Amino acid sequence: MMIKVTLPDGSVREYEQGVSALDVAKSISEGLARKVLAANVDGEVWDASRPLNKDVSLKLLTWDDTDAKSTFWHSTAHLMAEAVETMYPGVKFWVGPAVEKGFYYDMDLGDNVMTDEDLVKLEKKMGELAKQANPYLRKPISKDEAVQLFTEKGDEYKLDLLSNLQDGNITLYSQGGFTDLCRGPHIPNTGFIKAVKLMSVAGAYWKGDEKNKQLTRVYGVSFPAQKELDEYLAMLEEAKKRDHRKLGKELGIYTMNDDVGQGLPLWLPNGTIIIEELETLAKETEKAAGYKRVVTPHIAKESMYLTSGHLPYYADSMFPPMELDGTKYYLKAMNCPHHHKIFDAEPKSYKDLPFRIAEYGTCYRYEQSGELFGLMRVRCLHMNDAHIYCSKEQFAEEFRAVNEMYIKYFGIFGVDKYVMRLSLHDPAKLGQKYVNEPELWKETEDMVRQVLIDSNIPYIEVQDEAAFYGPKIDVQIWSAIGREFTLATNQVDFNSGNKFKLSYNNKENGQDVPLIIHRAPLGTHERFIGFLLEHYAGKFPAWLAPLQVKILPISDKFMDYANTILETLKKADIRVEIDDRNEKIGKKIRDTEMAKVPYMLVVGEKEMNERQVAVRRQGKGDAGVKGLDEFVAELVQEIKERRGNESITN
């Protein structure tokens, strides 16, 4: 019997029933087949070797696909388990999932203790097993058979997993001498795994419950080529140097204090300068784009969040209410309801649209303690927020303008790699997770998609990640060392206008409900500054650096001239200090380098007599001698243009 296989380009091929995705790949090219790790069959990820018994839509998954990486890493977890069994006979395994970057496996080693030295032995054993290129074999099994198998093995962990599984959906996977209860999928064979690094060993309570036994958890990562592993480990080393928490402390950007509370950063003077520079950039950009600035309170009555729909659905992410005179108040978790009230404060006509309002609004979100992470996940955040109220006819132009604002910012901050992530709804969850307006969902999703296509902006589509009131774009960017960040959002809202009874007089003197765009191109101060610290490795461009120039007199004899330079730079609104310590010039230069100040001005007798400065650029060394006024003029221009880390002395 023949079946039809539809490929992503729309082409249809016919094969004998029972053909595998790997067979399909081979029919296209042997080179492709060597790269296929898994397959997407009618929207579900399968083993590439699993038989196809009906007409299907098929996408062959290679290392470049997220689902393929996940499959690869989960398969490596099974390979590690096989190696562990050879070193620790009688070991029992709990779960071994793929994670964002790699995998882990939780295991019960009995009385044995695994050390970092043991990880090296495990890696070696995994390499030996991988070279055997043993296939990952899938075997469906009945629940009764599975229970009997793991009862005989005395494996309480697998029996616990089985208690939550339905008969008819249970499978075993085997490779080499290892068999595990697993739903899959897996890569074709262990030979695809060319490079493995076991990163760490730690304790983990069974099921995450501290009342249960503590298991051993081993984290690892793997790649289909040694070169990729080497590059990844090099990136990790660089990332350690660029960790925003480490740099934030060293450079005096922010601090945390237990008396203030978890996830509530205190911005130090240096961090506050960066905040003010970012706000100035945003205000200038938004003013030029026709936004009007507003300010809203940090709290609001419960009734407003009930109207918006954030209560009760968002309550877990909000701080508990305060009660006063029988009325509940909540700390503001989002600015949008407040902005809707500002739109509604005065009558609007079509001539007032698009109506754009912006603020750096302070919001409070109760992130779980275990999710807090430096500046990246906090409980107090300052959001570069704005809302655009427009007609459907104006939507495409407004949405396009917001995206262009993102791209302008990318250029300023040297972000070369980015992608817009179009988050769509799941039709099966209408009325639950999403507003039950199927026609409006289709219409607005089509509108957003068309803007992205017309603008030639790179994007991907993701199901079931929309906001509850409409589709959205999440902006994914990559730092200078290739680390991915979710920066900001651009959302469409076809629901809040009705909920808040917002309207405007149309050209026919009737009433229409505005479409609302929520946007935050610079995200929050917290997340964005955390990103910038890692992106620049703390070496901020001059316009953004807390201290822009350090004057280094060779000796006290030149302090008067150093002060003349200081006053000249201050009059030009340049952030400057003098290093007046009784230290040798070499130490002053080294210390200023460590402080990551963009410019150093070394001054001695020659510079004083000729009203010059010997310029040094952070990280680049001696940049030559310049006249003081010439240096000031060039630096002022660099700051005004918000140039990146290229030097005015290049």
Side-chain angles (χ1 to χ4, degrees), residues 122-140:
L122 266 179
E123 283 179 15
K124 183 178 178 182
K125 187 62 180 179
M126 290 174 71
E128 295 171 2
L129 294 171
K131 288 177 182 178
Q132 296 175 11
N134 291 317
Y136 287 88
L137 303 174
R138 179 179 185 271
K139 179 184 176 182

Side-chain angles (χ1 to χ4, degrees), residues 22-35:
L22 210 51
D23 294 328
V24 173
K26 288 176 182 176
S27 74
I28 298 171
S29 87
E30 286 290 338
L32 174 62
R34 288 192 291 271
K35 297 178 182 178

Side-chain angles (χ1 to χ4, degrees), residues 261-282:
Q262 284 187 302
L264 303 172
L266 297 169
W267 292 99
L268 302 176
N270 284 347
T272 303
I273 288 171
I274 298 172
I275 284 175
E276 289 174 345
E277 290 292 345
L278 291 175
E279 283 195 9
T280 299
L281 170 62

Side-chain angles (χ1 to χ4, degrees), residues 85-105:
E85 277 196 335
T86 67
M87 291 177 58
Y88 301 92
V91 60
K92 297 174 184 177
F93 297 97
W94 172 230
V95 291
V99 290
E100 184 179 358
K101 206 74 177 182
F103 59 89
Y104 71 80
Y105 222 127

Side-chain angles (χ1 to χ4, degrees), residues 631-647:
F631 171 79
V632 171
E634 290 184 356
L635 180 54
V636 166
Q637 190 63 25
E638 176 184 345
I639 293 168
K640 181 180 178 181
E641 294 175 4
R642 295 190 175 98
R643 291 186 211 154
N645 271 327
E646 70 272 13
S647 169

Side-chain angles (χ1 to χ4, degrees), residues 533-592:
L533 278 165
E534 299 192 3
H535 182 56
Y536 291 130
K539 301 172 185 176
F540 290 101
W543 72 272
L544 198 53
L547 181 63
Q548 295 164 325
V549 177
K550 196 75 170 273
I551 304 167
L552 311 180
I554 291 176
S555 74
D556 288 347
K557 290 190 298 181
F558 310 110
M559 281 300 299
D560 286 346
Y561 181 52
N563 278 301
T564 298
I565 298 171
L566 180 78
E567 293 307 315
T568 302
L569 267 63
K570 281 185 174 181
K571 286 178 182 177
D573 204 24
I574 293 168
R575 297 186 287 273
V576 57
E577 292 178 358
I578 297 175
D579 187 341
D580 58 2
R581 295 176 301 162
N582 186 24
E583 296 283 359
K584 292 183 178 179
I585 192 65
K587 178 169 174 53
K588 290 183 179 183
I589 290 171
R590 287 193 299 274
D591 290 348
T592 308

